[in-house]
Amino acid sequence: MQKVYNPKEVEDRLYKMWLNKKYFHAKIDYSKKPFTIVIPPPNITGQLHMGHALNNTIQDILIRFKRMQGYCTLWLPGTDHASIATEAKIVEKMKEEGLTKEMIGREKFLERAWEWKRVYGGRIIEQLKKLGASCDWDRERFTMDEGLSNAVKEVFVRLYEKGLIYKGERMINWCPTCHTTISDAEVEYEEKQGKLYYIKYPAKDNSYHVVVATTRPETMLGDTAVAVNPNDRRYKHLIGKTVVLPLVNREIPIIADDYVDMEFGTGVVKITPAHDPNDFEIGQRHNLPMVQVIDTKGYMNENAGKYAGQEMYEARKNIVKDLKELGLLVKEKDYTHNVGHCYRCSTVIEPLVSKQWFVKMKPLAEPAIRVVKEGKIKFIPERFEKIYFNWMENIKDWCISRQLWWGHRIPAYYCRDCENMMVSREEVKVCSKCGSSNVYQDEDTLDTWFSSALWPFSTLGWPEETEDLKYFYPTDVLVTAYDIIFFWVARMIFSGLEHMGKEPFKYVLIHGIVRDAQGRKMSKSLGNGIDPLEVIEKYGADALRFTLVTGISPGNDTRFHMEKVEANRNFANKIWNAARFVLMNLDIDTSFKPDERKFTFTERWILSRLDTLIREVTENLEKFEIGIAAQKLYDFIWDEFCDWYIEMSKPILYNKEAENNKEIQYVLLTVLTNVLKLLHPFMPFVTEEIYLNLPHDEESLVISKWPEAKCYYSADDIRVVENLIELIKSIRNMKTERNVSPKIKPNIYIQTNDKLMLEQKYLWEVYVKRLAGVEKIILSEKVPEESVSIVLSWGVCYIKLKDIIDIEKELKRLTEEKEKLIKEVERSEKLLGNENFVKKAPQKVVDEEKEKYRKYIQILKSVEEQIDRLLKLKRDEIRDEL
Ligand SMILES: [Zn+2]
Ligand SMILES: [Zn+2]
């Protein structure tokens, strides 16, 4: 073994070896149970960030653990085409060349997109390999590859034929910058400072008027009613009458609707069904006409009269000005409200009515709620189920069409001659109704999440009934951050139920996000992101992985500290050094059969502790308590194994003549091999490298057998060693606190009623002498004179003062200190005796001086006492010698 562990050299070499040996490839084995995880496919535009690193480390730990437990494990990797993000990248790049999408056309644009995917799309996959991810790369998929595209078409057609996909006029969220609709889940709300405008709408004959309050006066041009609450006494008499819409001079009705909040503004609201989702619904209820006044680029259209062609915010200014001149603007008020923004580009979302494709959600959501209620799918932690139910129970129809080119084109075709619409798996060239060949395909593509919703079964070959699908579906656990529960998890659940008739996974393991050391979100704008690849380069993937998972608990965020990475790199080195030590003292191989009667109580102790560790880590991993398991492994390896057992084993290990020398070697090798196995899922590289250097039976840790607990437990031995460790640690601490040189070996006097410790003193005393630096251990009922006492959980340990200090040296030091103190006292007395000082100096200074004086006197007294005590000790010693 190399003297120093060099992760850089080791990691690449081992990863290549694992790939060559096909350890990650899942070969169907009917004699084994399958264990499947599908990766949350990263975007092809993505670069590995700490969130991915955490997400994939967790998946890799689970997969490696299950692989070692003997499951037929499949971790299926792949990438997502990320329609909106990728299209934005291509558009941006074309902009540099002075080109737009429209200029080059759909076909040329898609060529560019595929080329971009070819060059950059594999980047994140390579980065996942650096992390050590044990994915089955032979099964890597892409949401737009042929198979998955067929699956998408199949689902679309099936749902359409069932009446679960429809085209309809609906209020949608429009992003004027991205030029596409986005789903409700993609709208981010943010508090904004705005203005509330109060506008007067008069009656035709001016006999009455109402005042409406709005944050968006430009939409008034599209008003088709004003509404009041039916219970509002102030306006009851006006219901059914009309007012004249200012600037447009259109007569609109005053209607009553429960939706209107009597407390808000004046209690009268304008209704613009074409530009507000709530107004849209009121419009539907009251059969109001829809007048669209803003176009898809954020400009006023031909319905806006003299404002047509003006940009929305410019029109707002002009309208407010005109209203003022007409005396119809009653007042303006500052107002904070929640405004929806595009999650991609942060542009303010424009609610628009348009013809789009929708998935009817109610019938799909019901079974998806049921499987979670029945416990067929479990969220970890459970609290996320509430959020899931809340979302699913209030779900609206899902708008799935996007005005983008990169993605799955909607398989709907239209006839230009008879307006017939056809939805088909195959390309349609001839109209099914009139036979015309003047047919074209829908220009829009599908929401990216439409294809990722099918991920757990489309990647296994669906709609074909493949062997993979039969064997590996449903998958076992889905590992994800909490921010995409709705985007993705909920949609996978109803898709799996609808198309496979079975839930797509049994567990949804939710983790938090990785924050910086101060608890802030890592972000580009703050510049506080840490690149996982740089961390791997410097400290190794094992250190990064272990740092990410230590102490995490499901659903909760973690903070990333660089110092922890360093500490975990040191942990890897600690194991490396321990292994080198074991290896250097080893002359047995794995065929050695120990005589267990030759084990001492320390061997029985460490084997008991190992057994407990195996049982607990296995249980923790079964329950997804990864953070707890990591901490237990760290503590056991660092403390119990390296710091204690190895140290305790040395005398026998070094003594080749000892009759149990080989038994000790055997225990060292056994414990080491087992902890390497337990630690392997967390730190795959350093553990494998050590394992292959030790005498070993199995080809590689990756495919080795997970350790099993043997129910080995020896309560007495555990207690004796724990007491022993307590005693050694206490003596060491006492020495450090009192500055006692480690070379000084005092006698210790122990008072105890602990029968076991008394009986077995002959066993443990040798360890205390060697590891705590002690000369003699005396069992004593009496408290020795002038001694330090250490209280233990099983008795009291006394050490005579004269045994730990050099009396002459200490006397000299104390005498010097006494002289210094006397000088200070004299100086202070003189100063305080000076009337001038006491009278003239500020009171504060005088008080401080008095306080100083008091302290000097006190310390002086204590020093004199110590000197007296030491002089007495010295006299006793001389007398003893005589
Ligand atoms: Zn946008
Ligand atoms: Zn036709």
Side-chain angles (χ1 to χ4, degrees):
M1 273 173 89
Q2 296 279 319
K3 222 174 153 192
V4 183
Y5 177 60
N6 176 7
K8 237 168 125 179
E9 182 270 329
V10 170
E11 290 180 357
D12 287 345
R13 171 164 52 74
L14 287 181
Y15 199 84
K16 226 178 256 164
M17 187 267 278
W18 293 335
L19 287 183
N20 287 339
K21 297 259 187 180
K22 295 251 169 226
Y23 291 155
F24 306 157
H25 180 65
K27 222 170 132 211
I28 293 177
D29 179 346
Y30 292 101
S31 71
K32 288 181 175 179
K33 270 196 195 159
F35 182 87
T36 315
I37 297 181
V38 287
I39 207 170
N43 289 350
I44 49 169
T45 53
Q47 296 250 49
L48 195 77
H49 56 60
M50 280 300 173
H52 295 124
L54 171 64
N55 177 259
N56 287 288
T57 299
I58 295 173
Q59 294 177 69
D60 197 42
I61 288 169
L62 296 175
I63 277 287
R64 284 179 187 267
F65 165 56
K66 288 290 171 181
R67 190 183 288 122
M68 290 170 77
Q69 275 193 325
Y71 287 81
C72 178
T73 47
L74 167 62
W75 184 11
L76 197 147
T79 48
D80 192 286
H81 64 283
S83 60
I84 196 165
T86 310
E87 182 146 334
K89 289 249 175 209
I90 317 291
V91 168
E92 212 173 284
K93 231 177 148 194
M94 291 196 319
K95 215 171 163 186
E96 288 164 20
E97 299 170 44
L99 294 173
T100 66
K101 272 167 72 179
E102 288 72 22
M103 281 162 83
I104 65 167
R106 189 170 194 131
E107 210 170 298
K108 282 268 172 323
F109 178 84
L110 287 177
E111 268 172 32
R112 279 175 179 253
W114 280 106
E115 177 58 16
W116 193 93
K117 192 253 165 196
R118 195 185 62 77
V119 177
Y120 300 107
R123 212 169 24 177
I124 193 151
I125 294 296
E126 291 314 305
Q127 294 169 336
L128 282 174
K129 291 178 181 172
K130 282 266 172 208
L131 193 66
S134 64
C135 299
D136 184 352
W137 300 110
D138 300 335
R139 283 188 172 84
E140 186 187 333
R141 300 304 296 265
F142 174 53
T143 47
M144 270 171 69
D145 67 24
E146 202 191 334
L148 269 62
S149 299
N150 284 336
V152 165
K153 248 185 260 171
E154 184 64 33
V155 165
F156 189 96
V157 175
R158 281 191 192 186
L159 290 180
Y160 177 77
E161 285 170 353
K162 264 182 108 170
L164 291 176
I165 280 185
Y166 66 91
K167 195 173 188 182
E169 212 155 61
R170 284 289 182 277
M171 179 62 65
I172 47 93
N173 307 298
W174 179 263
C175 174
T177 304
C178 299
H179 286 167
T180 181
T181 55
I182 62 173
S183 69
D184 291 342
E186 289 167 329
V187 179
E188 284 175 351
Y189 288 90
E190 202 181 290
E191 287 228 316
K192 269 258 161 99
Q193 192 57 245
K195 276 206 160 53
L196 198 56
Y197 300 91
Y198 288 74
I199 306 166
K200 197 186 214 174
Y201 287 17
K204 205 171 176 186
D205 59 1
N206 273 317
S207 60
Y208 55 89
H209 69 262
V210 294
V211 174
V212 301
T214 177
T215 54
R216 305 189 57 198
E218 68 280 9
T219 61
M220 70 178 286
L221 307 176
D223 286 1
T224 52
V226 294
V228 297
N229 190 294
N231 300 318
D232 196 333
R233 293 227 170 101
R234 291 173 292 179
Y235 302 115
K236 254 192 172 142
H237 62 289
L238 294 180
I239 296 168
K241 296 190 171 169
T242 63
V243 283
V244 176
L245 184 62
L247 306 174
V248 185
N249 293 324
R250 185 154 31 85
E251 228 179 310
I252 54 173
I254 301 171
I255 59 168
D257 195 288
D258 284 330
Y259 167 79
V260 180
D261 177 2
M262 288 188 270
E263 308 293 318
F264 177 78
T266 57
V268 186
V269 294
K270 58 196 266 323
I271 303 297
T272 327
H275 292 290
D276 181 278
N278 297 314
D279 292 5
F280 176 79
E281 272 165 30
I282 295 177
Q284 298 263 302
R285 283 201 285 276
H286 297 270
N287 262 323
L288 298 173
M290 259 194 284
V291 178
Q292 192 184 339
V293 292
I294 302 166
D295 72 8
T296 56
K297 293 193 168 138
Y299 286 81
M300 307 308 289
N301 70 8
E302 67 280 3
N303 294 329
K306 71 182 236 204
Y307 307 100
Q310 293 180 10
E311 195 267 334
M312 202 165 72
Y313 293 102
E314 185 195 340
R316 180 181 298 179
K317 248 190 267 158
N318 293 330
I319 286 168
V320 169
K321 200 176 113 226
D322 292 350
L323 287 170
K324 245 185 220 164
E325 277 168 16
L326 290 169
L328 293 173
L329 188 72
V330 181
K331 60 175 173 177
E332 288 173 40
K333 214 173 93 182
D334 285 336
Y335 184 65
T336 319
H337 57 148
N338 262 329
V339 179
H341 292 77
C342 170
Y343 85 112
R344 280 283 316 151
C345 71
S346 301
T347 303
V348 175
I349 287 304
E350 185 60 42
L352 272 187
V353 172
S354 97
K355 260 211 149 155
Q356 300 288 342
W357 288 95
F358 291 86
V359 174
K360 204 179 267 178
M361 283 310 304
K362 270 269 165 315
L364 292 167
E366 274 160 18
I369 292 170
R370 207 177 319 128
V371 288
V372 178
K373 288 223 159 118
E374 287 169 357
K376 288 179 180 157
I377 296 179
K378 286 199 170 71
F379 281 68
I380 300 160
E382 212 185 297
R383 65 173 189 270
F384 285 94
E385 287 179 4
K386 234 194 229 153
I387 305 172
Y388 172 81
F389 291 138
N390 188 35
W391 195 71
M392 288 299 257
E393 277 155 8
N394 296 301
I395 200 163
K396 287 191 191 149
D397 287 354
W398 175 19
C399 175
I400 49 169
S401 42
R402 296 289 182 272
Q403 290 63 54
L404 298 167
W405 285 349
W406 177 242
H408 302 280
R409 194 163 174 179
I410 291 174
Y413 301 82
Y414 309 91
C415 172
R416 282 198 183 84
D417 293 336
C418 74
E419 290 189 354
N420 178 28
M421 181 176 85
M422 298 150 277
V423 168
S424 162
R425 289 169 182 86
E426 276 84 45
E427 201 190 335
V428 173
K429 293 207 167 104
V430 178
C431 173
S432 59
K433 211 167 162 188
C434 74
S436 159
S437 55
N438 198 359
V439 164
Y440 67 97
Q441 188 174 359
D442 198 310
E443 292 291 327
D444 289 353
T445 52
L446 288 165
D447 181 5
T448 291
W449 302 98
F450 192 88
S451 52
S452 37
L454 319 178
W455 189 249
F457 50 93
S458 64
T459 51
L460 292 169
W462 189 91
E464 306 295 319
E465 275 198 34
T466 60
E467 287 299 297
D468 269 11
L469 192 63
K470 278 190 242 164
Y471 185 72
F472 291 112
Y473 190 92
T475 70
D476 290 88
V477 50
L478 181 91
V479 183
T480 180
Y482 51 69
D483 51 353
I484 51 174
I485 296 181
F486 313 129
F487 279 125
W488 191 42
V489 178
R491 285 165 188 164
M492 280 192 286
I493 294 176
F494 68 68
S495 300
L497 291 170
E498 171 68 19
H499 305 293
M500 289 296 297
K502 198 147 179 52
E503 57 282 356
F505 27 72
K506 301 175 188 93
Y507 295 97
V508 180
L509 175 57
I510 295 160
H511 58 78
I513 55 174
V514 185
R515 296 176 175 273
D516 75 0
Q518 294 162 46
R520 298 172 305 174
K521 242 181 166 175
M522 290 190 185
S523 77
K524 257 190 203 150
S525 54
L526 280 176
N528 62 342
I530 299 171
D531 181 357
L533 294 169
E534 276 173 28
V535 178
I536 291 174
E537 177 75 18
K538 200 162 163 205
Y539 298 101
D542 286 337
L544 172 66
R545 291 166 61 115
F546 207 72
T547 304
L548 284 168
V549 300
T550 308
I552 57 164
S553 60
N556 295 326
D557 293 349
T558 55
R559 292 185 182 195
F560 191 86
H561 298 273
M562 253 349 229
E563 304 82 64
K564 282 198 198 156
V565 186
E566 231 176 287
N568 287 322
R569 192 254 334 256
N570 297 344
F571 178 49
N573 289 340
K574 178 107 176 168
I575 307 165
W576 183 262
N577 293 334
R580 282 187 71 230
F581 171 79
V582 172
L583 194 59
M584 275 187 307
N585 291 288
L586 215 57
D587 46 46
I588 59 163
D589 60 28
T590 54
S591 65
F592 176 77
K593 293 276 171 288
D595 177 354
E596 292 192 11
R597 286 167 308 180
K598 291 184 183 170
F599 290 167
T600 77
F601 71 114
T602 58
E603 281 69 55
R604 290 193 298 271
W605 163 69
I606 196 74
L607 289 172
S608 297
R609 290 292 304 133
L610 172 68
D611 216 56
T612 307
L613 180 77
I614 294 172
R615 209 172 34 245
E616 290 186 357
V617 167
T618 308
E619 249 177 57
N620 289 142
L621 289 179
E622 301 279 12
K623 289 198 262 174
F624 306 109
E625 294 163 348
I626 292 171
I628 299 175
Q631 192 61 52
K632 282 184 186 157
L633 281 163
Y634 183 94
D635 292 344
F636 178 86
I637 295 170
W638 192 290
D639 293 338
E640 286 170 292
F641 184 57
C642 295
D643 282 357
W644 293 104
Y645 182 68
I646 290 186
E647 285 310 314
M648 296 196 267
S649 72
K650 277 177 181 170
I652 304 178
L653 188 66
Y654 291 155
N655 178 5
K656 292 284 168 202
E657 305 305 314
E659 57 147 12
N660 56 353
N661 174 277
K662 288 197 166 40
E663 269 71 18
I664 305 298
Q665 293 185 32
Y666 166 84
V667 171
L668 278 168
L669 182 61
T670 302
V671 176
L672 180 58
T673 305
N674 278 289
V675 295
L676 289 175
K677 287 186 171 195
L678 295 175
L679 188 63
H680 176 72
F682 300 83
M683 299 181 109
F685 294 107
V686 69
T687 50
E688 172 86 327
E689 181 67 4
I690 295 172
Y691 182 75
L692 297 180
N693 273 289
L694 293 173
H696 56 282
D697 289 331
E698 294 164 294
E699 191 178 291
S700 155
L701 278 186
V702 181
I703 51 162
S704 71
K705 214 168 149 296
W706 186 253
E708 266 172 35
K710 296 189 177 69
C711 298
Y712 191 104
Y713 191 75
S714 170
D716 281 356
D717 294 316
I718 293 174
R719 201 155 69 78
V720 171
V721 175
E722 277 171 2
N723 287 345
L724 173 64
I725 288 175
E726 185 193 5
L727 176 60
I728 295 170
K729 273 189 183 165
S730 309
I731 297 172
R732 284 180 182 168
N733 285 346
M734 184 278 298
K735 283 186 169 179
T736 344
E737 276 162 21
R738 294 186 170 249
N739 258 326
V740 178
S741 147
K743 279 185 213 142
I744 291 178
K745 292 189 173 179
N747 294 334
I748 61 171
Y749 300 80
I750 290 182
Q751 246 185 16
T752 180
N753 299 320
D754 192 314
K755 258 179 97 185
L756 187 67
M757 295 305 284
L758 290 168
E759 275 168 22
Q760 302 205 348
K761 176 176 171 261
Y762 72 100
L763 285 176
W764 56 259
E765 68 179 346
V766 38
Y767 296 96
V768 180
K769 284 181 184 170
R770 189 163 52 84
L771 297 174
V774 165
E775 184 62 39
K776 242 195 210 160
I777 298 163
I778 300 139
L779 296 175
S780 149
E781 289 296 319
K782 270 198 317 193
V783 179
E785 277 173 35
E786 296 298 334
S787 60
V788 188
S789 63
I790 299 169
V791 179
L792 304 163
S793 60
W794 53 282
V796 187
C797 166
Y798 297 98
I799 301 168
K800 285 187 179 168
L801 260 180
K802 68 180 176 65
D803 282 0
I804 47 172
I805 53 180
D806 179 333
I807 298 180
E808 284 307 325
K809 221 166 118 192
E810 190 66 6
L811 269 173
K812 189 166 168 260
R813 188 182 68 80
L814 287 169
T815 313
E816 277 166 16
E817 203 178 327
K818 184 181 162 185
E819 278 162 18
K820 242 192 260 165
L821 281 162
I822 288 172
K823 267 188 201 149
E824 282 300 323
V825 168
E826 281 170 1
R827 184 196 56 79
S828 196
E829 269 172 351
K830 210 172 142 195
L831 192 61
L832 290 169
N834 182 342
E835 270 185 35
N836 262 338
F837 171 75
V838 180
K839 272 188 191 152
K840 285 186 186 155
Q843 193 57 39
K844 202 177 145 233
V845 177
V846 178
D847 287 347
E848 273 172 11
E849 191 56 40
K850 281 183 183 164
E851 180 57 27
K852 265 192 212 164
Y853 179 70
R854 211 180 52 77
K855 258 195 193 143
Y856 291 141
I857 295 286
Q858 212 177 33
I859 303 170
L860 183 61
K861 210 179 137 209
S862 135
V863 168
E864 281 170 343
E865 275 170 15
Q866 287 180 59
I867 293 174
D868 282 351
R869 219 180 305 150
L870 286 176
L871 287 172
K872 181 174 174 286
L873 273 177
K874 201 173 145 189
R875 277 196 307 274
D876 290 350
E877 212 171 328
I878 296 167
R879 204 182 47 217
D880 285 351
E881 276 165 22
L882 290 173

